[in-house]
Amino acid sequence: MLTIGVDIGGTKVAAGVVDDQGKIVAHTLRPTAADRPDVVAETVADVVRELAAGREIEAVGVGAAGFVDETRSIVRFAPNLAWREEPLQKKISGLVGLPVVIENDANAMAWGETRFGAGRGQSHVVCVTLGTGIGGGIVIDGALYRGRWGMGAELGHMQVVPGGRPCGCGNIGCWEQYASGQALVKEARELAEAEPKRAEILLGLAGGKIEGEEVTEAAKLGDEVSLAAFASFADWLGQGMADLAAVLDPGCFIVGGGVSRAADLFIDRARAAFAERLTGRGHRPFAEIRLAELGASAGVVGAADLARRR
């Protein structure tokens, strides 16, 4: 039986028809209005109707960036969309006439990778998604961990540095302030300002404003400041995963998100940092650290499979 998975981002809605083997058999993409909740629901309904035409669809899974309640129906809060206590499940289900499950987008991505991607065959998985911030998902004993109120696995907001950098969540010293795409760029900018002679390649590429693409390209060309920024990023990534392993003891970490496309610049050092900082090292197995395999389709595949298992 087919299900539809939908991944709602700040500027677009991606959706696909997914079979029970995790294969996307049809897909579509639409822009959306982040500041208009009703328009977002209508856009999701439109793509579902388009994809369902001529097909027998069992249910719809929707991955949404934000706090999704324990009933998987209400988006309590979304940082990049105008959702506040939004009854998204009821709205979309009423528009399309199908069962609908709402899930946090990072949870959906983690489930997709565990079922059909880099986590296949693993029952204890922690997925770390590296984008502007850090998202995450946790699978324990083969089941997605959501927490008592559906708001678990906000990995990026572990506070790792008391009195550290301010975070958009309102706290300070959160992990995503040291091991995210935003953190990588911030580190490179600060180092380049302090030591411009070591950042000649980066500054030449940037032409005035340093962004992630320039940091990555400069690092590949041997720019000292860009390489130092990636080294700091990798050390913090390994440290955070070691902390998570001390609590969750997973068999596997999956590292995905947009920054993971530059994994050749940091993944080996992150693995080494993880090994150096893991509590009880030398007397316990080490979790594997794998790169995600499904790319941008992980959220769609995961949401569709969660709808199938509703």
Side-chain angles (χ1 to χ4, degrees):
M1 188 70 75
L2 300 173
T3 54
I4 292 175
V6 183
D7 187 7
I8 302 175
T11 59
K12 67 183 185 303
V13 170
V17 179
V18 183
D19 67 18
D20 59 5
Q21 300 302 307
K23 180 182 178 182
I24 297 177
V25 299
H27 64 89
T28 190
L29 187 70
R30 297 274 185 90
T32 192
D35 59 342
R36 300 179 61 189
D38 287 339
V39 172
V40 174
E42 288 283 0
T43 302
V44 172
D46 285 345
V47 299
V48 169
R49 293 187 196 106
E50 175 188 330
L51 292 170
R55 298 184 175 94
E56 187 176 352
I57 301 298
E58 178 184 355
V60 178
V62 178
F67 291 160
V68 178
D69 79 331
E70 67 272 23
T71 67
R72 296 195 294 177
S73 59
I74 298 171
V75 182
R76 297 290 188 195
F77 169 79
N80 299 312
L81 289 156
W83 286 329
R84 302 295 184 271
E85 306 299 330
E86 179 71 11
L88 195 60
Q89 186 271 341
K90 183 177 180 180
K91 283 187 177 181
I92 295 173
S93 183
L95 290 168
V96 302
L98 287 166
V100 174
V101 170
I102 308 298
E103 185 55 82
N104 172 269
D105 61 339
N107 283 353
M109 292 170 63
W111 185 253
E113 283 289 347
T114 299
R115 286 275 290 134
F116 304 108
R120 289 187 303 274
Q122 295 282 335
S123 60
H124 294 72
V125 177
V126 175
C127 185
V128 180
T129 57
L130 305 171
T132 302
I134 296 179
I138 299 168
V139 174
I140 297 175
D141 283 333
L144 188 64
Y145 177 77
R146 307 184 71 256
R148 168 61 182 86
W149 291 286
M151 301 174 188
E154 289 290 336
L155 308 183
H157 298 292
M158 299 188 300
Q159 290 178 279
V160 297
V161 180
R165 295 172 178 170
C167 182
C169 75
N171 285 327
I172 56 175
C174 292
W175 188 28
E176 71 174 39
Q177 294 305 312
Y178 301 90
S180 65
Q182 180 185 40
L184 175 69
V185 171
K186 181 178 178 62
E187 182 78 7
R189 288 173 178 171
E190 290 178 351
L191 289 173
E193 184 177 357
E195 301 180 80
K197 288 186 178 180
R198 297 179 63 221
E200 290 180 354
I201 296 174
L202 174 60
L203 294 171
L205 290 172
K209 187 174 183 181
I210 296 170
E211 299 292 353
E213 185 176 345
E214 287 79 23
V215 178
T216 299
E217 185 61 29
K220 291 178 179 178
L221 294 173
D223 180 77
E224 291 184 27
V225 156
S226 299
L227 289 170
F230 267 107
S232 175
F233 169 90
D235 288 345
W236 277 113
L237 179 59
Q239 176 69 65
M241 289 190 292
D243 292 343
L244 288 165
V247 177
L248 298 169
D249 190 31
C252 173
F253 284 93
I254 298 172
V255 177
V259 183
S260 70
R261 291 194 292 269
D264 56 318
L265 292 170
F266 68 82
I267 197 65
D268 287 342
R269 185 173 179 127
R271 287 176 175 136
F274 171 78
E276 289 169 4
R277 299 169 190 188
L278 181 65
T279 183
R281 57 192 177 277
H283 302 281
R284 61 181 293 171
F286 284 80
E288 291 185 71
I289 298 175
R290 303 176 180 177
L291 294 175
E293 295 178 0
L294 299 183
S297 66
V300 167
V301 171
D305 196 62
L306 288 167
R308 182 176 291 109
R309 295 163 175 266
R310 68 194 183 284

mmCIF file of all heavy atoms in Angstrom, residues 141-179:
data_model
loop_
_atom_site.group_PDB
_atom_site.id
_atom_site.type_symbol
_atom_site.label_atom_id
_atom_site.label_comp_id
_atom_site.label_asym_id
_atom_site.label_seq_id
_atom_site.Cartn_x
_atom_site.Cartn_y
_atom_site.Cartn_z
ATOM 1 N N ASP A 141 15.444 0.685 20.607
ATOM 2 C CA ASP A 141 14.770 -0.615 20.467
ATOM 3 C C ASP A 141 13.858 -0.631 19.250
ATOM 4 O O ASP A 141 12.751 -1.189 19.276
ATOM 5 C CB ASP A 141 13.965 -0.955 21.722
ATOM 6 C CG ASP A 141 14.859 -1.425 22.862
ATOM 7 O OD1 ASP A 141 15.944 -1.971 22.577
ATOM 8 O OD2 ASP A 141 14.480 -1.228 24.028
ATOM 9 N N GLY A 142 14.303 0.008 18.174
ATOM 10 C CA GLY A 142 13.554 -0.019 16.925
ATOM 11 C C GLY A 142 12.351 0.892 16.875
ATOM 12 O O GLY A 142 11.570 0.841 15.923
ATOM 13 N N ALA A 143 12.168 1.749 17.884
ATOM 14 C CA ALA A 143 11.032 2.664 17.918
ATOM 15 C C ALA A 143 11.522 4.098 18.029
ATOM 16 O O ALA A 143 12.512 4.384 18.718
ATOM 17 C CB ALA A 143 10.109 2.335 19.093
ATOM 18 N N LEU A 144 10.828 5.000 17.366
ATOM 19 C CA LEU A 144 11.184 6.409 17.431
ATOM 20 C C LEU A 144 10.908 6.949 18.827
ATOM 21 O O LEU A 144 9.801 6.803 19.362
ATOM 22 C CB LEU A 144 10.363 7.188 16.399
ATOM 23 C CG LEU A 144 10.721 8.656 16.191
ATOM 24 C CD1 LEU A 144 12.135 8.801 15.635
ATOM 25 C CD2 LEU A 144 9.710 9.311 15.256
ATOM 26 N N TYR A 145 11.911 7.568 19.423
ATOM 27 C CA TYR A 145 11.743 8.162 20.748
ATOM 28 C C TYR A 145 11.257 9.591 20.597
ATOM 29 O O TYR A 145 11.881 10.410 19.921
ATOM 30 C CB TYR A 145 13.062 8.149 21.531
ATOM 31 C CG TYR A 145 12.934 8.827 22.876
ATOM 32 C CD1 TYR A 145 12.319 8.180 23.946
ATOM 33 C CD2 TYR A 145 13.388 10.128 23.063
ATOM 34 C CE1 TYR A 145 12.168 8.806 25.174
ATOM 35 C CE2 TYR A 145 13.252 10.766 24.285
ATOM 36 C CZ TYR A 145 12.637 10.096 25.337
ATOM 37 O OH TYR A 145 12.476 10.734 26.543
ATOM 38 N N ARG A 146 10.122 9.913 21.255
ATOM 39 C CA ARG A 146 9.533 11.228 21.113
ATOM 40 C C ARG A 146 9.463 11.991 22.438
ATOM 41 O O ARG A 146 9.286 13.202 22.441
ATOM 42 C CB ARG A 146 8.128 11.109 20.522
ATOM 43 C CG ARG A 146 8.101 10.305 19.213
ATOM 44 C CD ARG A 146 6.733 10.272 18.561
ATOM 45 N NE ARG A 146 6.407 11.574 18.016
ATOM 46 C CZ ARG A 146 5.574 12.438 18.562
ATOM 47 N NH1 ARG A 146 4.964 12.133 19.696
ATOM 48 N NH2 ARG A 146 5.326 13.605 18.001
ATOM 49 N N GLY A 147 9.590 11.295 23.567
ATOM 50 C CA GLY A 147 9.468 11.954 24.851
ATOM 51 C C GLY A 147 8.032 11.989 25.335
ATOM 52 O O GLY A 147 7.099 11.660 24.607
ATOM 53 N N ARG A 148 7.852 12.406 26.575
ATOM 54 C CA ARG A 148 6.523 12.411 27.182
ATOM 55 C C ARG A 148 5.543 13.308 26.420
ATOM 56 O O ARG A 148 4.379 12.971 26.233
ATOM 57 C CB ARG A 148 6.629 12.869 28.642
ATOM 58 C CG ARG A 148 5.305 13.209 29.318
ATOM 59 C CD ARG A 148 4.364 11.994 29.376
ATOM 60 N NE ARG A 148 3.091 12.366 29.993
ATOM 61 C CZ ARG A 148 2.055 12.899 29.322
ATOM 62 N NH1 ARG A 148 2.155 13.152 28.029
ATOM 63 N NH2 ARG A 148 0.935 13.188 29.953
ATOM 64 N N TRP A 149 5.992 14.493 25.991
ATOM 65 C CA TRP A 149 5.104 15.443 25.334
ATOM 66 C C TRP A 149 5.422 15.614 23.847
ATOM 67 O O TRP A 149 4.982 16.573 23.229
ATOM 68 C CB TRP A 149 5.157 16.790 26.049
ATOM 69 C CG TRP A 149 4.536 16.715 27.413
ATOM 70 C CD1 TRP A 149 3.199 16.637 27.706
ATOM 71 C CD2 TRP A 149 5.207 16.682 28.665
ATOM 72 N NE1 TRP A 149 3.003 16.562 29.060
ATOM 73 C CE2 TRP A 149 4.226 16.595 29.689
ATOM 74 C CE3 TRP A 149 6.554 16.719 29.049
ATOM 75 C CZ2 TRP A 149 4.531 16.535 31.035
ATOM 76 C CZ3 TRP A 149 6.868 16.666 30.402
ATOM 77 C CH2 TRP A 149 5.864 16.575 31.365
ATOM 78 N N GLY A 150 6.180 14.672 23.300
ATOM 79 C CA GLY A 150 6.477 14.721 21.872
ATOM 80 C C GLY A 150 7.600 15.653 21.493
ATOM 81 O O GLY A 150 7.841 15.886 20.307
ATOM 82 N N MET A 151 8.317 16.177 22.443
ATOM 83 C CA MET A 151 9.294 17.227 22.156
ATOM 84 C C MET A 151 10.729 16.802 22.456
ATOM 85 O O MET A 151 11.608 17.631 22.671
ATOM 86 C CB MET A 151 8.940 18.490 22.948
ATOM 87 C CG MET A 151 7.546 19.012 22.610
ATOM 88 S SD MET A 151 7.050 20.394 23.646
ATOM 89 C CE MET A 151 5.330 20.571 23.162
ATOM 90 N N GLY A 152 10.972 15.492 22.484
ATOM 91 C CA GLY A 152 12.314 14.999 22.743
ATOM 92 C C GLY A 152 13.232 15.151 21.545
ATOM 93 O O GLY A 152 12.824 15.571 20.462
ATOM 94 N N ALA A 153 14.487 14.814 21.742
ATOM 95 C CA ALA A 153 15.510 14.777 20.688
ATOM 96 C C ALA A 153 15.860 16.149 20.118
ATOM 97 O O ALA A 153 16.306 16.249 18.982
ATOM 98 C CB ALA A 153 15.099 13.829 19.562
ATOM 99 N N GLU A 154 15.688 17.203 20.913
ATOM 100 C CA GLU A 154 16.172 18.520 20.489
ATOM 101 C C GLU A 154 17.666 18.592 20.809
ATOM 102 O O GLU A 154 18.123 19.313 21.696
ATOM 103 C CB GLU A 154 15.398 19.633 21.187
ATOM 104 C CG GLU A 154 13.967 19.785 20.715
ATOM 105 C CD GLU A 154 13.872 20.327 19.303
ATOM 106 O OE1 GLU A 154 14.819 21.005 18.850
ATOM 107 O OE2 GLU A 154 12.848 20.057 18.643
ATOM 108 N N LEU A 155 18.429 17.818 20.053
ATOM 109 C CA LEU A 155 19.844 17.621 20.374
ATOM 110 C C LEU A 155 20.646 18.913 20.322
ATOM 111 O O LEU A 155 21.577 19.110 21.106
ATOM 112 C CB LEU A 155 20.455 16.607 19.397
ATOM 113 C CG LEU A 155 19.733 15.262 19.242
ATOM 114 C CD1 LEU A 155 20.520 14.365 18.301
ATOM 115 C CD2 LEU A 155 19.517 14.594 20.590
ATOM 116 N N GLY A 156 20.321 19.777 19.392
ATOM 117 C CA GLY A 156 21.095 21.007 19.239
ATOM 118 C C GLY A 156 21.023 21.934 20.427
ATOM 119 O O GLY A 156 21.836 22.852 20.551
ATOM 120 N N HIS A 157 20.063 21.683 21.329
ATOM 121 C CA HIS A 157 19.886 22.594 22.458
ATOM 122 C C HIS A 157 20.335 22.001 23.785
ATOM 123 O O HIS A 157 19.923 22.469 24.851
ATOM 124 C CB HIS A 157 18.440 23.082 22.490
ATOM 125 C CG HIS A 157 18.093 23.845 21.247
ATOM 126 N ND1 HIS A 157 18.649 25.073 20.958
ATOM 127 C CD2 HIS A 157 17.324 23.507 20.178
ATOM 128 C CE1 HIS A 157 18.208 25.471 19.779
ATOM 129 N NE2 HIS A 157 17.412 24.550 19.290
ATOM 130 N N MET A 158 21.185 20.960 23.710
ATOM 131 C CA MET A 158 21.956 20.602 24.904
ATOM 132 C C MET A 158 22.895 21.774 25.196
ATOM 133 O O MET A 158 23.554 22.281 24.293
ATOM 134 C CB MET A 158 22.817 19.359 24.658
ATOM 135 C CG MET A 158 22.091 18.113 24.298
ATOM 136 S SD MET A 158 23.234 16.699 24.270
ATOM 137 C CE MET A 158 24.411 17.205 22.996
ATOM 138 N N GLN A 159 22.964 22.189 26.438
ATOM 139 C CA GLN A 159 23.857 23.290 26.794
ATOM 140 C C GLN A 159 25.241 22.722 27.131
ATOM 141 O O GLN A 159 25.425 22.052 28.140
ATOM 142 C CB GLN A 159 23.280 24.082 27.955
ATOM 143 C CG GLN A 159 22.039 24.885 27.550
ATOM 144 C CD GLN A 159 21.432 25.629 28.709
ATOM 145 O OE1 GLN A 159 20.695 25.067 29.504
ATOM 146 N NE2 GLN A 159 21.734 26.918 28.809
ATOM 147 N N VAL A 160 26.198 23.004 26.255
ATOM 148 C CA VAL A 160 27.522 22.408 26.392
ATOM 149 C C VAL A 160 28.568 23.382 26.936
ATOM 150 O O VAL A 160 29.646 22.961 27.364
ATOM 151 C CB VAL A 160 28.004 21.830 25.033
ATOM 152 C CG1 VAL A 160 27.087 20.708 24.580
ATOM 153 C CG2 VAL A 160 28.083 22.911 23.952
ATOM 154 N N VAL A 161 28.260 24.677 26.920
ATOM 155 C CA VAL A 161 29.215 25.675 27.412
ATOM 156 C C VAL A 161 28.481 26.631 28.353
ATOM 157 O O VAL A 161 27.743 27.515 27.893
ATOM 158 C CB VAL A 161 29.852 26.477 26.262
ATOM 159 C CG1 VAL A 161 30.837 27.514 26.822
ATOM 160 C CG2 VAL A 161 30.556 25.560 25.281
ATOM 161 N N PRO A 162 28.639 26.475 29.662
ATOM 162 C CA PRO A 162 28.014 27.425 30.591
ATOM 163 C C PRO A 162 28.491 28.848 30.287
ATOM 164 O O PRO A 162 29.689 29.098 30.147
ATOM 165 C CB PRO A 162 28.498 26.951 31.963
ATOM 166 C CG PRO A 162 28.839 25.497 31.764
ATOM 167 C CD PRO A 162 29.368 25.392 30.362
ATOM 168 N N GLY A 163 27.538 29.755 30.158
ATOM 169 C CA GLY A 163 27.915 31.134 29.856
ATOM 170 C C GLY A 163 28.421 31.327 28.440
ATOM 171 O O GLY A 163 29.099 32.322 28.156
ATOM 172 N N GLY A 164 28.116 30.392 27.542
ATOM 173 C CA GLY A 164 28.631 30.449 26.177
ATOM 174 C C GLY A 164 27.836 31.347 25.252
ATOM 175 O O GLY A 164 27.170 32.290 25.678
ATOM 176 N N ARG A 165 27.901 31.037 23.966
ATOM 177 C CA ARG A 165 27.262 31.866 22.948
ATOM 178 C C ARG A 165 25.737 31.856 23.102
ATOM 179 O O ARG A 165 25.149 30.801 23.373
ATOM 180 C CB ARG A 165 27.626 31.359 21.557
ATOM 181 C CG ARG A 165 29.104 31.491 21.212
ATOM 182 C CD ARG A 165 29.398 30.797 19.894
ATOM 183 N NE ARG A 165 30.810 30.940 19.510
ATOM 184 C CZ ARG A 165 31.375 30.268 18.500
ATOM 185 N NH1 ARG A 165 30.657 29.408 17.786
ATOM 186 N NH2 ARG A 165 32.644 30.458 18.219
ATOM 187 N N PRO A 166 25.079 32.992 22.900
ATOM 188 C CA PRO A 166 23.618 33.005 22.951
ATOM 189 C C PRO A 166 23.016 32.224 21.791
ATOM 190 O O PRO A 166 23.555 32.219 20.684
ATOM 191 C CB PRO A 166 23.277 34.498 22.864
ATOM 192 C CG PRO A 166 24.459 35.138 22.229
ATOM 193 C CD PRO A 166 25.650 34.330 22.655
ATOM 194 N N CYS A 167 21.901 31.571 22.047
ATOM 195 C CA CYS A 167 21.246 30.741 21.039
ATOM 196 C C CYS A 167 19.864 31.313 20.734
ATOM 197 O O CYS A 167 19.230 31.941 21.599
ATOM 198 C CB CYS A 167 21.121 29.307 21.555
ATOM 199 S SG CYS A 167 20.378 28.155 20.372
ATOM 200 N N GLY A 168 19.373 31.057 19.549
ATOM 201 C CA GLY A 168 18.064 31.530 19.149
ATOM 202 C C GLY A 168 16.937 30.958 19.976
ATOM 203 O O GLY A 168 15.825 31.497 19.977
ATOM 204 N N CYS A 169 17.189 29.860 20.686
ATOM 205 C CA CYS A 169 16.148 29.252 21.527
ATOM 206 C C CYS A 169 15.927 30.038 22.812
ATOM 207 O O CYS A 169 14.971 29.783 23.548
ATOM 208 C CB CYS A 169 16.508 27.810 21.861
ATOM 209 S SG CYS A 169 17.811 27.640 23.099
ATOM 210 N N GLY A 170 16.823 30.993 23.113
ATOM 211 C CA GLY A 170 16.698 31.776 24.332
ATOM 212 C C GLY A 170 17.706 31.406 25.400
ATOM 213 O O GLY A 170 17.888 32.150 26.379
ATOM 214 N N ASN A 171 18.359 30.263 25.241
ATOM 215 C CA ASN A 171 19.392 29.849 26.194
ATOM 216 C C ASN A 171 20.777 30.250 25.685
ATOM 217 O O ASN A 171 20.913 30.865 24.617
ATOM 218 C CB ASN A 171 19.318 28.342 26.436
ATOM 219 C CG ASN A 171 18.138 27.964 27.317
ATOM 220 O OD1 ASN A 171 17.753 28.717 28.203
ATOM 221 N ND2 ASN A 171 17.551 26.806 27.061
ATOM 222 N N ILE A 172 21.794 29.875 26.414
ATOM 223 C CA ILE A 172 23.166 30.179 25.996
ATOM 224 C C ILE A 172 23.995 28.898 26.043
ATOM 225 O O ILE A 172 23.718 27.985 26.820
ATOM 226 C CB ILE A 172 23.814 31.264 26.880
ATOM 227 C CG1 ILE A 172 23.779 30.860 28.361
ATOM 228 C CG2 ILE A 172 23.121 32.603 26.678
ATOM 229 C CD1 ILE A 172 24.504 31.831 29.266
ATOM 230 N N GLY A 173 25.002 28.854 25.172
ATOM 231 C CA GLY A 173 25.936 27.730 25.185
ATOM 232 C C GLY A 173 25.407 26.449 24.584
ATOM 233 O O GLY A 173 25.937 25.373 24.859
ATOM 234 N N CYS A 174 24.373 26.529 23.736
ATOM 235 C CA CYS A 174 23.818 25.307 23.139
ATOM 236 C C CYS A 174 24.784 24.690 22.136
ATOM 237 O O CYS A 174 25.573 25.386 21.487
ATOM 238 C CB CYS A 174 22.490 25.599 22.449
ATOM 239 S SG CYS A 174 21.151 26.039 23.573
ATOM 240 N N TRP A 175 24.678 23.377 21.978
ATOM 241 C CA TRP A 175 25.582 22.628 21.099
ATOM 242 C C TRP A 175 25.581 23.189 19.684
ATOM 243 O O TRP A 175 26.625 23.264 19.040
ATOM 244 C CB TRP A 175 25.154 21.155 21.101
ATOM 245 C CG TRP A 175 26.093 20.212 20.404
ATOM 246 C CD1 TRP A 175 27.440 20.338 20.241
ATOM 247 C CD2 TRP A 175 25.754 18.968 19.777
ATOM 248 N NE1 TRP A 175 27.965 19.251 19.560
ATOM 249 C CE2 TRP A 175 26.934 18.406 19.274
ATOM 250 C CE3 TRP A 175 24.541 18.284 19.629
ATOM 251 C CZ2 TRP A 175 26.942 17.176 18.604
ATOM 252 C CZ3 TRP A 175 24.549 17.064 18.967
ATOM 253 C CH2 TRP A 175 25.746 16.520 18.459
ATOM 254 N N GLU A 176 24.406 23.606 19.190
ATOM 255 C CA GLU A 176 24.355 24.070 17.810
ATOM 256 C C GLU A 176 25.096 25.395 17.607
ATOM 257 O O GLU A 176 25.367 25.786 16.476
ATOM 258 C CB GLU A 176 22.929 24.176 17.312
ATOM 259 C CG GLU A 176 22.082 25.283 17.884
ATOM 260 C CD GLU A 176 20.727 25.357 17.191
ATOM 261 O OE1 GLU A 176 20.123 24.313 16.871
ATOM 262 O OE2 GLU A 176 20.271 26.482 16.967
ATOM 263 N N GLN A 177 25.471 26.057 18.689
ATOM 264 C CA GLN A 177 26.273 27.266 18.566
ATOM 265 C C GLN A 177 27.751 26.958 18.331
ATOM 266 O O GLN A 177 28.555 27.874 18.122
ATOM 267 C CB GLN A 177 26.110 28.134 19.804
ATOM 268 C CG GLN A 177 24.711 28.696 19.969
ATOM 269 C CD GLN A 177 24.242 29.474 18.754
ATOM 270 O OE1 GLN A 177 24.973 30.322 18.232
ATOM 271 N NE2 GLN A 177 23.044 29.182 18.286
ATOM 272 N N TYR A 178 28.106 25.660 18.343
ATOM 273 C CA TYR A 178 29.506 25.257 18.182
ATOM 274 C C TYR A 178 29.703 24.193 17.104
ATOM 275 O O TYR A 178 30.832 24.005 16.646
ATOM 276 C CB TYR A 178 30.048 24.746 19.530
ATOM 277 C CG TYR A 178 29.948 25.792 20.606
ATOM 278 C CD1 TYR A 178 28.806 25.885 21.403
ATOM 279 C CD2 TYR A 178 30.960 26.735 20.785
ATOM 280 C CE1 TYR A 178 28.681 26.882 22.362
ATOM 281 C CE2 TYR A 178 30.842 27.733 21.747
ATOM 282 C CZ TYR A 178 29.697 27.807 22.525
ATOM 283 O OH TYR A 178 29.580 28.796 23.460
ATOM 284 N N ALA A 179 28.631 23.512 16.701
ATOM 285 C CA ALA A 179 28.791 22.403 15.750
ATOM 286 C C ALA A 179 27.674 22.388 14.722
ATOM 287 O O ALA A 179 27.111 21.345 14.409
ATOM 288 C CB ALA A 179 28.828 21.068 16.502
#
